[in-house]
């Protein structure tokens, strides 16, 4: 693999997509995962072991909660992320154990500080709509790179898309990169999060964009 996608999702939107067990989602961006851009389930014998990340537990619950399954002892989400992506990322020395992989993701989360940057740019959950170009420009201005922003497309009769996920790209040296797909290259990370009936896809620059403050 060549780069990492570091995905943050907006819990309110995740709940809107799948309201099965969502109680009171956090009102801040949380970690979805840290994903190499190729390969999945690289080492099926390297099993997730929650005791290896016990020192990270309070941070994990806060920054990387399982938004859909709120009971506290849920480690299923982390296990899934480790099995599918962590075992692949582990070819890098800085990510080559469960503690390093999850710990580094939390470190990147604090370093990126997406919540703080959006607030500083005056972009906060609201019942009025934003222009997608304004959100993109604010992020690009802050980080010096273009992230990948995913939305739920408008439902029947609606005119606005709903922001759901923001991904930052990192090199193997953990430097921020542009997330733009290379022309003519394949994009192996079609991370279509299919939840319930709706699914996330790259936001449309021309549609008004809803950044919801609570699950409707």
């Amino acid at each position: 693999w060549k780069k990492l996608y570091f995905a943050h999702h907006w819990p309110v939107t995740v709940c809107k997509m799948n309201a099965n067990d969502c109680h009171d989602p956090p009102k801040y961006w949380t970690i979805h995962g840290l994903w190499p851009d190729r390969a999945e389930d690289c080492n099926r014998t390297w099993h997730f072991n929650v005791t290896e990340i016990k020192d990270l537990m309070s941070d994990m619950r806060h920054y990387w909660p399982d938004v859909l399954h709120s009971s506290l002892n849920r480690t299923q989400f982390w296990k899934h992320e480790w099995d599918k992506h962590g075992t692949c990322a582990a070819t890098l020395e800085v990510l080559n154990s469960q503690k390093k992989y999850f710990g580094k993701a939390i470190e990147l989360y604090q370093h990126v500080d997406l919540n703080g940057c959006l607030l500083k740019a005056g972009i906060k959950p609201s019942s009025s709509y934003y222009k997608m170009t304004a959100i993109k420009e604010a992020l690009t201005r802050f980080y010096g790179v273009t992230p990948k922003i995913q939305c739920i497309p408008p439902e029947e009769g609606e005119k606005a898309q709903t922001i759901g996920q923001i991904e930052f790209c990192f090199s193997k040296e953990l430097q921020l990169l542009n997330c733009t797909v290379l022309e003519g290259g394949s994009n192996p990370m079609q991370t279509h999060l299919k939840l319930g009936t709706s699914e996330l896809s790259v936001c449309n620059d021309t549609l008004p964009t809803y950044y919801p403050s609570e699950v409707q």
Side-chain angles (χ1 to χ4, degrees), residues 19-180:
N20 62 346
D21 188 16
C22 259
H23 307 294
D24 203 19
K27 299 293 199 305
Y28 52 90
W29 289 83
T30 59
I31 301 173
H32 182 178
L34 183 61
W35 309 324
D37 63 352
R38 268 168 212 271
E40 290 178 355
D41 298 303
C42 293
N43 184 345
R44 288 168 191 271
T45 61
W46 194 349
H47 298 298
F48 177 70
N49 177 357
V50 78
T51 56
E52 288 190 33
I53 58 168
K54 62 179 186 299
D55 304 350
L56 301 172
M57 230 34 186
S58 64
D59 281 349
M60 290 290 290
R61 287 199 181 117
H62 184 72
Y63 302 124
W64 201 330
D66 184 339
V67 175
L68 291 178
H69 311 98
S70 46
S71 52
L72 270 179
N73 62 350
R74 291 282 183 160
T75 56
Q76 216 43 43
F77 181 35
W78 304 330
K79 175 187 184 305
H80 167 80
E81 291 297 315
W82 170 254
D83 291 347
K84 187 171 175 183
H85 305 290
T87 56
C88 303
T91 53
L92 278 192
E93 196 181 325
V94 290
L95 301 173
N96 68 3
S97 70
Q98 290 173 44
K99 186 163 187 184
K100 283 188 191 175
Y101 174 73
F102 290 104
K104 183 54 78 177
I106 287 167
E107 214 177 288
L108 290 175
Y109 175 90
Q110 290 165 330
H111 170 69
V112 164
D113 185 24
L114 178 59
N115 294 292
C117 288
L118 286 170
L119 274 177
K120 282 190 195 109
I123 296 167
K124 39 186 184 286
S126 163
S127 54
S128 49
Y129 299 134
Y130 289 94
K131 285 196 164 88
M132 178 46 60
T133 46
I135 296 176
K136 261 192 190 153
E137 277 160 18
L139 292 172
T140 304
R141 204 168 54 237
F142 245 102
Y143 297 105
V145 293
T146 311
K148 177 177 166 190
I149 308 178
Q150 304 215 81
C151 292
I152 311 177
E155 287 169 27
E156 289 286 314
E158 287 183 354
K159 65 176 194 303
Q161 59 192 348
T162 305
I163 195 165
Q165 185 151 290
I166 297 179
E167 298 168 26
F168 291 90
C169 292
F170 284 89
S171 68
K172 288 188 164 182
E173 294 70 47
L174 300 184
Q175 299 299 314
L176 276 167
L177 299 171
N178 282 319
C179 284
T180 43

Side-chain angles (χ1 to χ4, degrees), residues 183-197:
E183 285 309 309
S186 63
N187 181 8
M189 275 311 281
Q190 282 302 337
T191 47
H192 278 320
L193 230 197
K194 196 142 173 52
L195 293 168
T197 52

